[in-house]
Amino acid sequence: MAFGRLERARAPSPMSDINMTPLIDVMLVLLVIFIITAPLMSSSLKLDLPKAEGSRASETPAFIAVAIDPAGKLYLGEQPVTVDELREQAQRAAGRNPATEVQLRADASVPYGKVAELIGLLQTAGLSKIGFITAGPPRGDGSPSGGSAAGR
């Protein structure tokens, strides 16, 4: 029984470490936000899509060639056609073989909306295989290097 000096319990010393848990939580939330929004920001890039490097078009037994020039005129093969004539020809081709491929050539200056309308017309006619024919990258002498198919 020692009634000597009573020592008071010392108060704990202040913690000098930084609590990392809130910092990690904030960083994870920011990471998730960037992962979700990064693909959305890629649509604001200005791209010249018609110049693409890709594999050569494979030999397919059934295809039709459709083109649209800068003025918006439609061509089936090398012959100019109207929208109704193109729709009729596409329906005939789809009736003969539903797997008929459309090889679409569009000038780089044609608005995207016109190309989308043309694709919609072809799909409603029953043709769903649409390949975009593009010019290859320019050669060293400045001339384009032949066409290639992309977007199949």
Side-chain angles (χ1 to χ4, degrees):
M1 250 175 122
F3 290 105
R5 196 169 80 170
L6 292 175
E7 292 185 25
R8 283 194 207 175
R10 291 184 63 188
S13 63
M15 187 165 64
S16 62
D17 296 332
I18 295 175
N19 188 0
M20 295 296 288
T21 305
L23 179 64
I24 293 171
D25 289 344
V26 169
M27 294 303 289
L28 287 174
V29 168
L30 288 174
L31 179 66
V32 168
I33 289 172
F34 285 128
I35 288 173
I36 292 172
T37 59
L40 301 176
M41 293 190 310
S42 68
S43 65
S44 65
L45 297 175
K46 296 185 187 227
L47 302 173
D48 191 13
L49 293 179
K51 295 179 181 174
E53 188 172 343
S55 62
R56 298 277 179 208
S58 62
E59 296 297 323
T60 55
F63 73 91
I64 61 171
V66 177
I68 184 167
D69 69 2
K73 288 185 181 178
L74 298 174
Y75 294 87
L76 184 61
E78 299 295 323
Q79 302 298 319
V81 292
T82 64
V83 174
D84 294 329
E85 291 172 342
L86 179 63
R87 181 180 298 118
E88 181 181 313
Q89 291 290 334
Q91 287 173 345
R92 278 193 216 145
R96 287 190 304 267
N97 183 1
T100 300
E101 178 182 323
V102 177
Q103 294 182 352
L104 177 62
R105 294 180 299 141
D107 191 86
S109 63
V110 175
Y112 180 75
K114 291 282 188 185
V115 176
E117 288 175 11
L118 179 58
I119 292 170
L121 178 134
L122 294 167
Q123 288 178 337
T124 56
L127 299 173
S128 60
K129 286 186 164 186
I130 300 173
F132 297 95
I133 307 301
T134 60
R139 294 181 189 167
D141 61 355
S143 64
S145 68
S148 64
R152 291 189 193 197

